């Protein structure tokens, strides 16, 4: 499967987070992305993508 573009990955992450209104951890996001895309994302890349979504106020963070 071809690699998703940045925009597609951001939308995917945003949809995964939105599907869990009580919250979701990074490990669960990784697992869901692997299930949907067929491969596990790089942890550091996922952290950068999440930070971009936070900076753009598309998702919020709570707790640790």
């Amino acid at each position: 499967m071809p690699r998703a573009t940045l925009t597609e990955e951001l939308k995917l992450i945003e949809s995964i987070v939105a599907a869990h209104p009580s919250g979701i951890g990074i490990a669960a996001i990784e697992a869901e992305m692997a299930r949907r895309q067929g491969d596990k994302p790089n942890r550091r890349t996922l952290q950068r993508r999440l930070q971009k979504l936070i900076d753009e106020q598309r998702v919020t963070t709570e707790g640790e």
Side-chain angles (χ1 to χ4, degrees):
M1 178 187 310
R3 187 80 181 147
T5 66
L6 173 62
T7 303
E8 291 170 340
E9 281 190 355
L10 292 175
K11 286 180 182 179
L12 174 61
I13 295 166
E14 192 174 14
S15 72
I16 292 169
V17 171
H20 297 85
S22 61
I24 185 171
I26 194 164
I29 295 171
E30 281 178 325
E32 183 64 19
M33 288 182 73
R35 187 184 71 75
R36 292 186 187 187
Q37 292 182 320
D39 64 341
K40 185 177 174 182
N42 178 283
R43 172 66 66 108
R44 184 63 190 123
T45 300
L46 178 54
Q47 289 172 327
R48 284 192 294 270
R49 303 283 192 261
L50 285 166
Q51 188 60 54
K52 182 170 180 59
L53 290 170
I54 292 166
D55 292 346
E56 293 175 356
Q57 297 180 342
R58 292 168 61 181
V59 299
T60 59
T61 182
E62 292 181 8
E64 294 181 37

